[in-house]
Amino acid sequence: MRLLAEVTGRSQSFFLKQLIEKGIDAMEDTWLPREVIAQVRSGNLPAQQHGTTLDLFDNSICDR
């Protein structure tokens, strides 16, 4: 990211933000059913699934 920032004049934070945003889109496309993707992108988010956790570092949900 340092090289990208130096060559383009943009900040490393800009590229980190791009990486996160585009990576999330790729994960949604890979893992979510098309119907859910359409709901998310139209702003009609589905209700939170029962039994999910908000803890990003809880590995128990990753194993499902």
Side-chain angles (χ1 to χ4, degrees):
M1 271 194 273
R2 181 190 55 78
L3 181 60
L4 285 168
E6 289 177 4
V7 171
T8 64
R10 294 188 181 268
S11 68
Q12 290 185 41
S13 297
F14 170 82
F15 288 106
L16 181 58
K17 182 180 177 207
Q18 292 289 304
L19 178 64
I20 291 168
E21 288 175 354
K22 295 192 185 312
I24 289 172
D25 283 345
M27 285 190 298
E28 287 175 347
D29 289 339
T30 300
W31 293 98
L32 294 176
R34 291 181 189 197
E35 303 81 37
V36 174
I37 292 172
Q39 290 175 348
V40 169
R41 294 187 179 158
S42 71
N44 298 319
L45 298 174
Q48 185 175 359
Q49 301 291 323
H50 177 68
T52 60
T53 181
L54 296 177
D55 184 0
L56 295 175
F57 300 103
D58 181 2
N59 290 330
S60 64
I61 195 159
C62 295
D63 296 330
R64 293 184 185 168

